[in-house]
């Protein structure tokens, strides 16, 4: 009998369960897709470090499933609230609490099984979509990916776990609530917000603190990029920002509306007071929830922005860090054979079209290093000079290797040029420095940090060839341009690495090395893929959950709102007026935890621009607002979809006449 | 006297196809300015339907309704909303106060919906809340008030816009006898002090006895009509009882009627009569003209009986 009633109830409550069901199905689809990617055989081909990628994504799914379970149990309470009179009636008619629990559990099982089915079906497509994104990020040609039984099983287990946890929370509520509470819960006397002005001040202070944290974070980015600060302070600032974000939303929910209500002259006209009162009750009760949602949404926005910014940065960094297809270097005195051997092995994998050789020279002095802070620091620590000998490159060598990369040739008229590979180099005041060598004086011309990595020193000095001619050639470099045919970069890397280890064993650490562009690209693409996929998955789930909570919360109150809107109808508020009031009531509620997070895209884009600017990736500066705008657009589109669904259902629920 | 409300030959059907119920059967009546009219009748007589179609909450199937000369039956939904807002005041059995608004906000809501000036609204709120004795309850929420206080607040909301007509649907339905009496005194004071025209549906003869005029409905038609004239409320009450008995064939046919209070249990005075009649009460005297019971007119089907 209970089974029959449960199925009938689900059919009858289909409209109310729609958003709950949609959310569960979409989350299931996302979990299905990500789990299949984690356990897909294709992933082994995609990534260099399969285990690490698997672990990161697996942890993300478990963590997110825990958040889903928590949020859905919260959402379940709205479903209960929506139907509490019905459950109260069952109790009054003599059903036991156990029967009602079974009924609710059966109903939820029907929904869960249906959501699992629909979610898995949608997940089949989501998986192919995600794989396509992944392959695109890895620049691999798209092929239909195979499904993994392990991934499917893991999805079913996670969804079952989520469902079990959510049902447990509902069962707990049903076990405790009184019949009176179920039947007359709607008739509770509204409690006024205590100390609304205090909350208003909390809101204002939190907003100011958020702005201060944002500015401090912005400056900390500079310090990290220019002075090599650690990330601890920046992370701390983000944490403080998150706390004030929570407080701001709590203050906004509790303070603003209540303060407005105390100024009836401002907004009492039309249905203003009604809308504010509707909001006041909902917002003050749910202020913590709204703060948490704002936190989740901010996490989703910033996470998605950061992942795309990082992807852009990684793409740009490849050109910076590996400008040539292969770049090998070796200390001349110890490993001169390394370059030839490496070239021979590389030739087995690719057609080498051009070899550009250049050298790094030492004068034996350390005049340039004396200008640097790190030099002073090392001297104070009593460390040797050897690491801080000044390093030079011939102008002709420099022009030879930068012009094929699209840079203008450099002209020096009796001056020197400093090329920094560390950003802090550009922060030093070199302009007063005069370099004396062989009786000639060279003045400072420029300090550039925007050239790609062509020498593994913090900075090197470009001088006219004749000035360098008599210096000792310390290190030899060979840059190779190839035909650009695809090859097994991982295998070549392994072989070259083996050679490096052999030479280092014989000649000491760091005396030779190589950079393989294709392998660097693989590594960066993998990082970008895991980052973007993880961020998109997290952002998608958080957004869905937040929207579902807002929609369910709105709809669960509609039973009570219907009567209120009917009174407005009788008092002469026309359909247009009622629709407007409903719009403001629901839209304000939806907008409150969404507005600030979506606006977070602006500082995220600014930080991204600053990072690009400082990292000499000017070409990507303009991409930052586009990334932030695109993320905001997609999130706003999902938001609008949910809002429209909730609004239309609510409108139908309160329709009179 | 100015006719505020005219109901002309109004018919209302519910249902469709083979299952059709006639709730109003060509009913006609009029209400004059400043009149306090009660509509009584047994269950299913059409009194609530009559109130709903006058309130424009429901549409008529045939006939027309005019309020201050305007044909409500021809108005569109948007015009009707404006009409309800500007011309009608409502008092309902379940108070229909918005639980999320304070009493003061509830009372002033109709003025806000009109986008009235804030200062004027405040002044008007003070005026009606003082008159209806809810001035010290304005900052409370409805849930914090007693039933009687809530209904007085609802009355204050109904008259704050100076509507052409106040419609009350079983206003004492959720109140005990003491609060019912107090509310009816409030209605009378609204009628006298503010000149409100009131049309009230009730099943309670005691409540009906406060009205200047009582319309009895049966099967969707006006079956009888009583005028208070100069007579006491007790006298009117006895007449209502008599008509009720005749209408329902028993002493007290109305559902949920309360036991007679001592003050209303006196025997009917000499000369009291009840008019049995069907529709067509055009010859009835106006309230306060002192004609006592209505005179017999040509359309009456029964005879005037002496109780």
């Amino acid at each position: 009998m209970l089974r029959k009633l449960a199925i009938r109830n689900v059919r009858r409550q289909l409209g109310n369960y729609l958003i709950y069901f949609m959310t569960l199905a979409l989350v299931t689809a996302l979990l299905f897709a990500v789990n299949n990617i984690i356990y897909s055989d294709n992933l082994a081909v995609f990534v260099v470090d399969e285990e690490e990628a698997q672990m990161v994504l697996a942890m993300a799914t478990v963590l997110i499933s825990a958040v889903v379970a928590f949020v859905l149990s919260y959402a379940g309470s709205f479903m209960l609230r929506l139907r509490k009179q019905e459950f109260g009636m069952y109790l009054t008619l003599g059903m036991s609490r156990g029967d009602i629990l079974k009924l609710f559990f059966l109903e939820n099982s029907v929904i869960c099984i249906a959501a699992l089915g629909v979610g898995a079906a949608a997940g089949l497509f989501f998986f192919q979509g995600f794989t396509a994104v992944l392959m695109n990020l890895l620049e691999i040609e798209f092929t239909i990916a195979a499904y993994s039984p392990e991934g499917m099983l893991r999805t079913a287990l996670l969804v079952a776990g989520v469902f079990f946890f959510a049902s447990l929370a509902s069962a707990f509520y049903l076990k405790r609530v009184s019949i009176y509470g179920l039947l007359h819960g709607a008739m509770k006397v509204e409690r006024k917000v205590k100390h609304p002005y205090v909350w208003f001040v909390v809101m204002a202070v939190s907003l100011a603190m958020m702005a201060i944290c944002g500015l401090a974070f912005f400056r900390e980015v500079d310090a990290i990029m220019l002075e090599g600060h650690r990330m601890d302070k920046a992370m701390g600032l983000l944490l403080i920002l998150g706390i004030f974000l929570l407080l701001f939303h709590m203050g906004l929910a509790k303070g603003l509306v209540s303060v407005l209500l105390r100024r009836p002259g401002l907004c009492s006209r039309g249905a203003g007071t009604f809308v504010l009162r509707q909001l006041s009750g909902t917002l003050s009760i749910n202020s913590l929830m709204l703060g948490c949602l704002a936190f989740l949404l901010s996490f989703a926005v910033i996470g998605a922005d950061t992942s795309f910014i990082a992807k852009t940065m990684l793409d740009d960094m490849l050109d910076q860090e590996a400008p040539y297809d292969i770049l090998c270097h070796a200390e001349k005195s110890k490993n001169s054979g390394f370059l030839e051997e490496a070239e021979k092995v590389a030739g087995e994998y690719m057609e080498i079209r051009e070899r550009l050789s250049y050298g790094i020279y030492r004068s034996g002095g350390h005049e340039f290093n004396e200008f640097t802070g790190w030099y002073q620091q090392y001297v104070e620590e009593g460390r040797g000079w050897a690491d801080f000998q000044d390093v030079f490159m011939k102008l002709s060598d420099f022009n030879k290797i930068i012009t094929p990369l699209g840079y203008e040739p450099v002209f020096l008229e009796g001056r020197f040029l400093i090329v920094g590979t560390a950003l802090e180099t550009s922060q030093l005041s070199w302009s007063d420095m005069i370099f004396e060598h062989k009786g000639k004086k060279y003045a400072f011309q420029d300090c550039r940090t925007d050239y790609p990595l062509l020498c593994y020193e913090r900075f090197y000095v470009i001088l006219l060839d004749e000035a360098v001619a008599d210096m000792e050639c310390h290190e030899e470099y060979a840059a190779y341009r190839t035909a650009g045919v695809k090859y097994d970069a991982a295998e070549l890397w392994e072989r070259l690495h083996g050679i490096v280890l052999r030479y280092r064993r014989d000649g000491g650490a760091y005396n030779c090395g190589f950079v393989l562009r294709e392998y660097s690209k693989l590594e960066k693409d993998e990082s970008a893929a895991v980052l973007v996929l993880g961020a998109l998955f997290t952002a998608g789930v958080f957004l869905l959950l937040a929207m579902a909570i807002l929609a369910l919360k709105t709809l669960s109150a509609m039973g009570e709102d219907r009567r209120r809107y009917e009174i407005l109808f009788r008092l002469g508020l026309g359909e247009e007026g009622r629709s407007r009031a409903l719009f403001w009531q629901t839209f304000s509620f939806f907008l409150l935890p969404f507005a600030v997070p979506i606006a977070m895209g602006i500082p995220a884009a600014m930080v991204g621009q600053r990072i690009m600017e400082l990292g000499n990736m000017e070409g990507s500066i303009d991409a930052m607002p586009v990334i932030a705008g695109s993320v905001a657009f997609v999130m706003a589109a999902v938001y609008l979809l949910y809002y429209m669904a909730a609004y239309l259902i609510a409108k139908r629920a309160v329709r009179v006449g | 006297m100015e006719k505020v409300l005219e109901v002309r030959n109004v018919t209302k059907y519910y249902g469709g196809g083979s299952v059709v119920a006639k709730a109003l059967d060509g009913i006609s009546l009029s209400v004059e300015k400043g009149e306090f009219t009660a509509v009584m009748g047994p269950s299913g007589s059409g009194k609530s339907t009559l109130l709903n179609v006058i309130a424009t909450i429901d549409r008529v199937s045939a006939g027309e309704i005019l309020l201050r000369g305007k044909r409500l039956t021809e108005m569109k939904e948007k015009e009707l909303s404006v009409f309800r807002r500007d011309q009608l005041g409502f008092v309902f059995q379940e108070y229909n106060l918005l639980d999320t608004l304070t009493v003061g906000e509830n009372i002033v809501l109709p003025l806000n919906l009109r986008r009235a000036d804030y200062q004027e609204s405040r002044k008007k709120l003070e005026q009606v809340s003082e008159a209806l004795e809810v001035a010290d309850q304005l900052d409370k929420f409805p849930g914090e008030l007693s039933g009687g206080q809530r209904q007085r607040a609802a009355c204050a909301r109904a008259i704050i816009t100076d509507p052409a007509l106040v419609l009350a649907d079983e206003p004492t339905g959720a109140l005990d006898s003491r609060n019912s009496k107090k509310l009816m005194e409030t209605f009378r004071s609204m009628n006298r002090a503010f000149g409100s025209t009131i049309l009230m549906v009730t099943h309670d003869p005691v409540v009906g006895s406060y009205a200047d005029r009582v319309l009895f409905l049966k099967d969707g038609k006006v079956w009888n009509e009583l005028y208070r004239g100069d007579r006491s409320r007790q006298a009117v009450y006895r007449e209502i009882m008599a008509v009720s008995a005749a209408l329902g064939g028993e002493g007290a046919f109305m559902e949920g009627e309360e036991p007679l209070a001592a003050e209303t249990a006196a025997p009917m005075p000499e000369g009291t009569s009840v008019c049995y009649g069907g529709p067509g009460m055009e010859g009835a005297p106006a309230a306060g003209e002192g004609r006592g019971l209505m005179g017999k007119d040509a359309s009456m089907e029964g005879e005037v009986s002496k109780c």
Side-chain angles (χ1 to χ4, degrees):
Chain A
M1 184 253 182
L2 280 178
R3 206 180 320 150
K4 206 171 176 180
L5 187 59
I7 292 169
R8 278 190 183 169
N9 278 349
V10 171
R11 275 162 59 185
R12 192 165 49 85
Q13 297 281 341
L14 219 54
N16 292 331
Y17 274 118
L18 189 67
I19 287 179
Y20 184 77
F21 172 78
M22 258 169 58
T23 308
L24 198 57
L26 283 171
V27 169
T28 305
L30 286 170
L31 279 172
F32 181 93
V34 172
N35 280 323
N36 269 282
I37 284 176
I38 294 172
Y39 292 99
S40 166
D41 290 338
N42 304 44
L43 193 68
V45 183
F46 295 157
V47 295
V48 175
D49 192 345
E50 185 193 350
E51 272 184 23
E52 192 184 316
Q54 269 189 347
M55 199 182 72
V56 170
L57 288 174
M59 272 175 63
T61 54
V62 171
L63 275 175
I64 285 163
S65 297
V67 177
V68 171
F70 180 75
V71 173
L72 281 186
S73 64
Y74 195 66
S77 71
F78 297 148
M79 301 308 300
L80 279 175
R81 189 178 167 201
L82 197 64
R83 297 175 58 200
K84 61 186 172 187
Q85 279 189 324
E86 182 190 333
F87 288 126
M89 191 58 71
Y90 291 149
L91 281 174
T92 316
L93 291 174
M95 270 172 99
S96 69
R97 279 177 196 270
D99 286 339
I100 290 176
L101 281 175
K102 268 186 227 160
L103 180 70
F104 191 67
F105 188 78
L106 279 171
E107 285 181 32
N108 268 325
S109 302
V110 172
I111 291 167
C112 181
I113 291 165
L116 191 61
V118 172
L124 295 174
F125 297 100
F126 275 41
F127 171 53
Q128 298 300 341
F130 271 19
T131 309
V133 171
L134 198 67
M135 287 178 160
N136 184 266
L137 290 170
L138 295 167
E139 295 181 16
I140 299 172
E141 200 179 327
F142 176 71
T143 49
I144 297 287
Y147 296 98
S148 137
E150 211 175 344
M152 291 184 187
L153 182 70
R154 195 180 144 90
T155 307
L157 285 175
L158 283 173
V159 172
V162 164
F163 162 72
F164 180 73
F165 186 84
S167 300
L168 216 62
S170 302
F172 187 70
Y173 170 79
L174 274 176
K175 195 87 189 155
R176 286 174 54 124
V177 70
S178 68
I179 299 180
Y180 185 87
L182 287 168
L183 289 174
H184 303 291
M187 294 166 71
K188 279 184 282 191
V189 174
E190 163 143 348
R191 277 182 299 178
K192 285 182 181 174
V193 174
K194 283 181 185 171
H195 316 301
Y197 285 101
V198 173
W199 281 109
F200 193 77
V201 171
V202 168
M203 180 193 83
V205 170
S206 301
L207 187 65
M209 288 306 293
M210 280 163 62
I212 291 168
C213 281
L215 285 172
F217 182 82
F218 203 72
R219 288 172 66 177
E220 192 56 24
V221 168
D222 276 15
I224 291 168
M225 297 287 286
L226 297 174
E227 295 160 33
H229 278 203
R230 289 173 61 183
M231 297 282 282
D232 310 12
K233 194 176 169 189
M235 289 294 139
L237 283 169
L238 282 182
L239 186 70
I240 296 170
L241 183 74
I243 292 167
F244 281 112
L245 183 83
L246 191 79
L247 284 173
F248 169 77
H249 282 89
M250 287 180 73
L252 186 68
K254 281 182 180 282
L256 185 64
V257 175
S258 299
V259 167
L260 282 175
L261 276 166
R262 291 184 179 212
R263 296 273 178 278
L266 282 177
C267 44
S268 61
R269 286 191 178 185
T273 310
F274 172 78
V275 172
L276 285 177
R277 280 282 176 208
Q278 288 286 92
L279 278 172
S280 164
T282 321
L283 294 183
S284 61
I285 294 167
N286 298 290
S287 61
L288 183 63
M289 177 203 83
L290 291 166
C292 291
L293 289 187
F295 187 83
L296 282 186
L297 286 170
S298 300
F299 192 88
V301 170
I302 294 174
D305 282 345
T306 307
S307 70
F308 284 114
I309 290 170
K311 159 90 177 89
T312 312
M313 205 165 77
L314 287 171
D315 288 348
D316 279 3
M317 276 167 71
L318 184 68
D319 290 335
Q320 285 285 318
E321 290 176 10
Y324 282 95
D325 294 330
I326 311 175
L327 185 67
C328 297
H329 68 99
E331 269 186 41
K332 193 174 181 185
S333 56
K334 296 173 184 168
N335 299 307
S336 55
F338 170 73
L339 295 181
E340 284 69 34
E341 195 174 338
E343 184 178 323
K344 195 176 160 200
V345 171
E348 294 173 24
Y349 290 83
M350 64 191 85
E351 184 194 333
I352 294 173
R353 289 201 168 158
E354 190 179 12
R355 172 188 166 136
L356 301 168
S357 300
Y358 57 99
I360 292 294
Y361 298 83
R362 280 182 174 180
S363 64
H366 42 80
E367 290 91 334
F368 288 95
N369 268 297
E370 279 178 19
F371 262 79
T372 62
W374 58 85
Y375 169 79
Q376 298 295 346
Q377 190 187 330
Y378 273 66
V379 168
E380 281 164 20
E381 288 171 8
R383 296 174 67 162
W385 294 97
D387 292 337
F388 293 99
Q389 287 191 39
D390 296 335
V391 177
F392 299 87
M393 191 188 288
K394 286 179 182 169
L395 177 64
S396 62
D397 278 353
F398 187 66
N399 282 334
K400 182 171 70 184
I401 52 175
I402 60 161
T403 44
L405 300 174
Y407 292 89
E408 290 292 318
V410 173
F411 297 97
L412 298 173
E413 291 166 4
R415 290 169 175 265
F416 63 84
L417 168 75
I418 291 182
V419 179
T421 54
L423 278 172
E424 50 261 53
T425 319
S426 61
Q427 301 298 302
L428 303 169
S429 52
W430 299 99
S431 53
D432 296 337
M433 182 165 176
I434 303 289
F435 175 61
E436 282 189 50
H437 185 66
K438 298 272 178 180
K440 280 193 175 177
K441 288 185 177 177
Y442 301 91
F444 171 73
Q445 177 168 304
D446 200 0
C447 176
R448 300 275 297 266
T449 52
D450 55 338
Y451 288 114
L453 198 63
L454 295 163
C455 168
Y456 302 110
E457 300 284 348
R458 284 197 173 185
F459 69 94
Y460 51 98
V461 184
I462 312 294
L463 275 177
L464 290 171
D465 289 14
E466 60 265 29
V468 182
D470 64 328
M471 291 184 191
E472 173 213 353
C473 180
H474 172 66
E475 212 168 8
E476 287 181 314
Y477 278 77
Y480 299 92
R481 304 184 81 190
T482 67
V485 181
K486 284 267 176 195
Y487 62 93
D488 190 343
E491 190 184 299
L492 176 58
W493 188 90
E494 283 293 335
R495 288 190 64 187
L496 291 175
H497 186 60
I499 300 169
V500 167
L501 289 180
R502 178 155 48 82
Y503 273 88
R504 283 185 179 174
R505 203 164 46 234
D506 301 336
Y510 309 117
N511 58 356
C512 64
F514 69 96
V515 172
L516 198 57
R517 184 181 166 90
E518 194 60 27
Y519 187 80
S520 297
K521 187 173 178 313
L522 267 183
E523 280 187 320
K524 289 189 191 310
D525 284 349
E526 177 201 322
S527 305
V530 172
L531 203 65
V532 169
L533 199 69
L536 283 183
F537 170 62
T538 312
V541 171
F542 283 1
L543 184 67
L544 284 176
L545 291 178
M547 294 296 105
I549 284 279
L550 291 171
L552 288 170
K553 174 74 197 159
T554 303
L555 296 180
S556 68
M558 278 304 138
E560 294 149 34
D561 283 350
R562 182 185 162 80
R563 199 177 51 79
R564 294 175 188 139
Y565 276 88
E566 195 169 330
I567 295 172
L568 289 183
F569 163 74
R570 291 184 178 218
L571 291 177
L573 188 64
E575 187 168 356
E576 199 181 312
R578 291 195 311 276
S579 297
R580 204 180 304 129
L582 182 68
F583 170 78
W584 283 117
Q585 179 194 327
T586 52
F587 188 72
S588 308
F589 182 65
F590 264 72
L591 191 67
L592 191 132
F594 192 70
V596 174
I598 208 80
M600 287 283 184
I602 298 169
M606 286 165 70
V607 169
Q609 282 185 317
R610 185 67 180 153
I611 291 171
M612 295 295 160
E613 190 186 328
L614 294 175
N616 297 316
M617 294 174 264
E618 274 86 0
S620 297
I621 286 178
D622 292 343
M624 298 299 108
V626 177
I627 288 171
S630 306
V631 168
F633 177 79
V634 172
M635 293 189 100
V638 176
Y639 163 84
L640 270 180
L641 190 76
Y642 261 79
Y643 172 70
M644 285 309 292
Y647 174 73
L648 291 174
I649 296 171
K651 197 174 170 188
R652 197 187 62 183
V654 300
R655 183 171 291 153
V656 187
Chain B
M1 291 288 279
E2 180 195 346
K3 274 185 183 172
V4 172
L5 173 72
E6 284 180 82
V7 176
R8 293 178 186 166
N9 208 23
V10 164
T11 304
K12 174 69 187 174
Y13 293 101
Y14 284 114
S18 58
V19 189
V20 176
K22 195 189 256 187
L24 294 175
D25 186 9
I27 193 169
S28 296
L29 60 96
S30 60
V31 176
E32 291 179 352
K33 191 170 188 292
E35 210 174 19
F36 179 7
T37 308
V39 178
M40 299 184 72
S43 289
S45 61
K47 52 188 191 299
S48 286
T49 305
L50 175 66
L51 200 79
N52 284 344
V53 293
I54 294 170
T56 72
I57 289 166
D58 210 347
R59 292 271 187 179
V60 300
S61 305
E64 59 181 12
I65 300 170
L66 289 86
L67 198 114
R68 282 185 170 163
K70 284 188 180 172
R71 277 179 225 284
L72 309 187
T73 37
E74 288 172 5
M75 284 185 186
K76 290 183 178 155
E77 187 54 46
K78 205 169 178 177
E79 293 171 292
L80 285 176
S81 293
V82 175
F83 164 81
R84 267 199 305 276
R85 190 190 70 192
D86 295 346
Q87 304 291 335
L88 297 179
F90 292 94
V91 181
F92 302 97
Q93 179 178 350
E94 292 299 331
Y95 323 120
N96 275 358
L97 293 171
L98 287 158
D99 52 351
T100 48
L101 268 61
T102 62
V103 171
E105 287 165 353
N106 263 294
I107 295 172
V108 89
L109 184 61
L111 288 177
N112 285 342
L113 293 180
R114 280 184 181 192
R115 300 188 169 273
D117 177 72
Y118 175 68
Q119 292 305 332
E120 280 178 29
S121 299
R122 291 301 303 178
K123 209 180 288 175
K124 195 78 184 168
L125 172 65
E126 279 170 29
Q127 194 186 341
V128 294
S129 59
E130 284 288 343
L132 298 183
E133 297 173 29
V134 286
D136 51 349
Q137 316 289 341
L138 295 182
D139 289 331
K140 290 183 179 169
F141 285 97
E144 297 171 283
L145 303 187
S146 70
Q149 286 170 322
R150 280 185 228 178
Q151 203 58 298
R152 285 205 298 282
C155 289
R157 184 181 65 183
I159 60 168
I160 197 166
T161 55
D162 295 325
L165 182 65
V166 174
L167 297 168
D169 188 4
E170 303 278 12
T172 59
L175 301 180
D176 57 26
S177 57
R178 193 174 64 86
N179 275 310
S180 293
K181 189 181 168 196
K182 200 167 179 187
L183 182 71
M184 281 304 103
E185 279 158 9
T186 303
F187 267 65
R188 285 226 62 89
S189 81
M190 278 158 59
N191 179 238
R192 284 172 188 153
F194 294 96
S196 303
T197 309
I198 302 169
L199 183 68
M200 172 181 72
V201 162
T202 183
H203 67 266
D204 185 344
V206 180
V207 171
S209 67
Y210 281 88
D212 295 327
R213 177 186 171 203
V214 184
L215 293 169
F216 291 90
L217 263 57
K218 187 179 181 186
D219 300 330
K221 296 175 184 170
V222 175
W223 186 80
N224 205 339
E225 191 172 4
L226 290 180
Y227 282 89
R228 168 190 286 275
D230 294 330
R231 285 167 306 112
S232 71
R233 196 169 58 76
Q234 287 92 332
V236 178
Y237 171 78
R238 283 192 294 273
E239 283 188 49
I240 291 171
M241 291 303 291
V243 176
S244 299
L247 187 58
E250 293 170 25
F253 64 82
M254 308 295 179
E255 71 276 19
E257 185 191 338
E258 291 172 14
L260 289 180
E263 57 168 332
T264 59
M268 286 183 82
E270 275 297 305
T272 303
S273 59
V274 177
C275 170
Y276 294 84
M281 300 293 168
E282 283 79 9
E289 283 182 4
R291 278 174 58 188
L293 287 172
M294 66 170 292
K296 183 182 175 185
D297 82 6
S299 67
M300 288 179 186
E301 291 162 359
E303 63 172 323
V304 177
S305 65
K306 194 171 182 178
C307 302

